[in-house]
Amino acid sequence: LTVTACGAAEGNAPAGATGSAAGGGGGKKLTFIQGVAGDNFYISMQCAAEAEAKAKGATLDTQGPQKFDPTLQTPILTSAIAAKPDAILIAPTDVTAMQQPLQQAAAAGIKIVLVDTTVSDPSMAVSQISSDNEGGGKAAFDAIKQLAPNGGKVLVIDNQPGISTTEARTKGFTEAATADGKYPSAGVQYSKNDPATAAQLVTAALAKDPDIVGIFATNLFSAEGAATGVRQAGKDGTVKIVGFDAGPDQVKALEDGTVQALIAQQPGTIGKDGVDQAVAALDGQPTEAKIQTGFTIVTKDNLSSAESQAALYKA
Ligand code: T6T
C-alpha cells in the first residue's frame, strides 16, 4: 500500500505535495517502509522524513503493510529492493523474520537505516534510531505509581512478541513494578495491534481481577483498545491507563478522562534523523550507529502546554 498522508496544509510536508513521493528530481532516491500503514506514529515520521528529504534534494516514497506483520512487510521490502533505491529507512516488524530480507537489501548495495524498531543483528544497517523504549516503560510505571499510590495489580497490554520496541517497554515497566514490590502483575496480554482485541482482553482481565488498579498499554492501538475496554467495564477513571503514543484518539481519551497519561515519542525526529543518516552514508560521511530519542509525558493537566502540543502526532 502506498501512503499519501502529508498535505502541505499540515505544515510538515513540502508545499504542493500531493502524492507519496517528496523531493526534487535527480537526487538520491530513498524509500521509507513503515511498520504498518495508517498509524499516526508512522505518519508523523513520514511527514518529517519527506520534508527533510526535500530539504536535502532527495526523493522519499513511503509504503507500509496493512497490518504490523512480517509476512506482509517482507514482500514490500522485496519489491523495494527490486526498485533499487539508494537507501531504505524501515521499521522492521519482527526481530527475527525481517533479518534475512534486510540482509538481502544491504547485499544489493542499498544503505539501510532502522527507524523505530530493530532486528536481532542490526549490523547490516548504517544507523538505528529509536526512542528510549525501556526508559519509557519505566516512566509509564512511575506514572501509574503516581496515579495509584497505594499499589495494586497492574496489567500490561502489549502488541505481540518479537517487536523490539514494545518488548523493551514491557521489560522497563515490569522490572520497575517488580522492584517496587507493591504492584503485582496481572499479566502481559497481546493485542496483535488490534484495538478490538485489546478491548476484549481488558474487559476479560477486569472481570477476572476486579482489583486491577492500572494498565500499561505499550503502543497506540493497544492503548486505544484498552481505553474502550475500561470504558465498557464502567471503570473509566477508576482503573488508571498509561499508554505509549499520542495519536488523536488517545488524546481524546485523555481529554475524556479514560486515559491518564500518554508517553509521546518523537517520530518526527526519528524520521528526520533517519533521512540525515541515509544521506550521510550515501555521501561517504560518518554515520551514528545508534541514536536514541526522548519522549514527553502528556497528561490532561499539561495537554495545553506548548511542549505537549508539539509532542502530539499528526492526524
Ligand atoms: O509505538 C509505535 C512504535 O514505536 C512501535 O514500534 C509500534 O507501534 C507504534 O507504531 C504505535 O502504533
Side-chain angles (χ1 to χ4, degrees), residues 34-37 64-70 72-73 93 192-193:
Q34 303 167 315
V36 63
Q66 292 286 9
K67 284 188 186 164
F68 203 96
D69 181 341
L72 300 179
Q73 194 182 41
T93 44
K192 300 204 166 68
N193 222 29

Side-chain angles (χ1 to χ4, degrees), residues 35-36 39-42 45 68 91-92 116-117 131 133 159 163-166 169 193 218-222 244-245 265 270 313:
V36 63
D39 174 331
N40 303 98
F41 172 81
Y42 293 119
M45 195 183 290
F68 203 96
D116 179 46
T117 43
S131 299
N133 288 296
N159 186 341
I163 303 172
S164 62
T165 49
T166 46
R169 293 168 200 168
N193 222 29
T218 69
N219 81 336
L220 193 144
F221 298 106
S222 304
F244 238 81
D245 298 307
Q265 305 187 73
I270 298 174
Y313 300 175

Side-chain angles (χ1 to χ4, degrees), residues 20 29 44 54 85-86 89 91 114 116 140 179 204 210 213 225 236 241 254 259 261 274 292 315:
S20 63
K29 225 176 102 185
S44 302
K54 175 153 199 213
D86 299 304
L89 282 66
L114 301 179
D116 179 46
V213 297
D236 21 339
I241 303 182
L254 195 68
V259 167
Q292 198 166 66

Side-chain angles (χ1 to χ4, degrees), residues 28-31 48-49 52-53 56 58 60 86-90 109-116 122 124-130 268-293:
K28 299 175 179 74
K29 225 176 102 185
L30 314 180
T31 291
E52 185 67 357
K56 300 243 169 197
L60 181 127
D86 299 304
I88 293 178
L89 282 66
I90 182 168
I110 299 167
K111 302 289 184 203
I112 303 298
V113 178
L114 301 179
V115 283
D116 179 46
M124 88 294 282
V126 296
S127 182
Q128 301 184 72
I129 305 146
S130 74
T269 305
I270 298 174
K272 178 179 182 293
D273 288 356
V275 168
D276 291 347
Q277 292 299 308
V279 170
L282 291 166
D283 285 342
Q285 300 292 321
T287 52
E288 286 178 63
K290 241 182 168 170
I291 299 176
Q292 198 166 66
T293 53

Side-chain angles (χ1 to χ4, degrees), residues 35 65 67-76 92-98 101 160:
K67 284 188 186 164
F68 203 96
D69 181 341
T71 66
L72 300 179
Q73 194 182 41
T74 299
I76 292 176
T93 44
D94 187 273
V95 286
T96 312
M98 296 311 295
Q160 61 200 30

